[in-house]
Amino acid sequence: MDATKGAGCDEQVVDLMTPIVEQELQTGHPLLATVMPAQVLERQGRLDEAVQALQRNLGTGNSVSVNVVEELAQLLARHERLQDLEELTKRSYGQYAVGKLIGKLEELGLTDAAFAVARRAAADHPMRGPAHLADLLVRHGRPDEALEAAGPLLADRDCGCYEQGPLMKLVERGHLDTACDLLAELASRPPQLADDEDGRMHLAEWEEKLARLRVWLLSETGRADESIAILEGLTDDEFYLRRETLAGVLENQGRPDEAIAVRLDREPGSYELGDLLIR
């Protein structure tokens, strides 16, 4: 696609893509069949047709293509079609588009409108919406409110995935104490899972995710010794890439000999080890 951009051959591109599009639609994989033609239509200035092409293949009911929703949201945001973008966010799958609307409103200086959208998203989409509101509050220097907004993320979830975004935003903005408070709150609320093999597996995944976030946050807040202690107290089965993570923390703390020793203990021929040795 990029190779033909501006080359004046969009019609030929469409002709070449037509059989691919038809095949992809028949096999039930609309992403390629929808997104690429829409991109060609957009660069031809045929915006309404591009929007319609994406809208036709969003999916129905519970079967929605998240990638197509996100592509449509990006297209509408690029061209400041705010009303259409807002309508998209109000649909059942609007949680996948709301971030683009909030970002575009911020970019245009419409902060109050961005907050209104974020608060509505937090109410309408409890799985993802609170993260958008928390991120927005952090970006505008309101970390305590962000911590409160992130509260719903801690309920009815099984992995801690959506808390990571607000945590990173808090650290990026220098609100380290609030980030630590959010992580402590997360740790105090383990997911409620069935006491069976599947439940125990998900709980182990959650515990590893929590440990990974804790290691990262401690390193970011100047408490690397605690981060190292956590990693040294875990097994490789309990923490994926434990040795690699430990070596990275040691290296960042100016302890290359220890980092090399950790890597030599497991993978003497690795690229990362070679990189360490020649620094």
Side-chain angles (χ1 to χ4, degrees), residues 138-205:
V138 170
R139 291 198 295 272
H140 288 269
R142 297 157 66 177
D144 292 338
E145 293 176 71
L147 180 59
E148 182 179 355
L153 293 172
L154 305 176
D156 300 325
R157 51 91 184 98
D158 61 4
C159 70
C161 302
Y162 302 122
E163 296 90 329
Q164 187 169 358
L167 269 173
M168 289 184 170
K169 291 291 191 306
L170 286 165
V171 171
E172 288 171 6
R173 299 278 172 163
H175 304 300
L176 303 182
D177 290 342
T178 307
C180 290
D181 289 343
L182 177 56
L183 185 58
E185 187 69 18
L186 172 62
S188 72
R189 301 191 193 185
Q192 302 302 310
L193 299 167
D195 186 18
D196 55 22
E197 183 177 353
D198 189 58
R200 287 188 289 273
M201 180 186 71
H202 282 293
L203 182 60
E205 291 174 353

Side-chain angles (χ1 to χ4, degrees), residues 39-104:
Q39 290 173 346
V40 175
L41 289 167
E42 180 189 7
R43 73 190 194 189
Q44 287 181 308
R46 298 158 64 183
L47 182 58
D48 288 339
E49 293 175 69
V51 170
Q52 291 167 8
L54 292 169
Q55 288 175 332
R56 281 195 301 270
N57 292 287
L58 285 173
T60 58
N62 294 325
S63 179
V64 173
S65 173
V66 173
N67 289 318
V68 176
V69 175
E70 292 175 342
E71 184 71 22
L72 177 56
Q74 291 170 8
L75 173 64
L76 294 172
R78 280 196 297 273
H79 295 275
E80 298 184 8
R81 303 252 310 238
L82 299 183
Q83 185 174 351
D84 292 336
L85 184 51
E86 185 167 5
E87 286 300 316
L88 182 64
T89 67
K90 292 178 180 178
R91 299 181 185 179
S92 59
Y93 42 78
Q95 58 185 320
Y96 304 113
V98 71
K100 291 298 177 185
L101 177 56
I102 293 171
K104 178 53 69 171

Side-chain angles (χ1 to χ4, degrees), residues 100-117:
K100 291 298 177 185
L101 177 56
I102 293 171
K104 178 53 69 171
L105 289 169
E106 271 192 289
E107 181 184 318
L108 296 173
L110 302 172
T111 304
D112 290 343
F115 271 106
V117 171

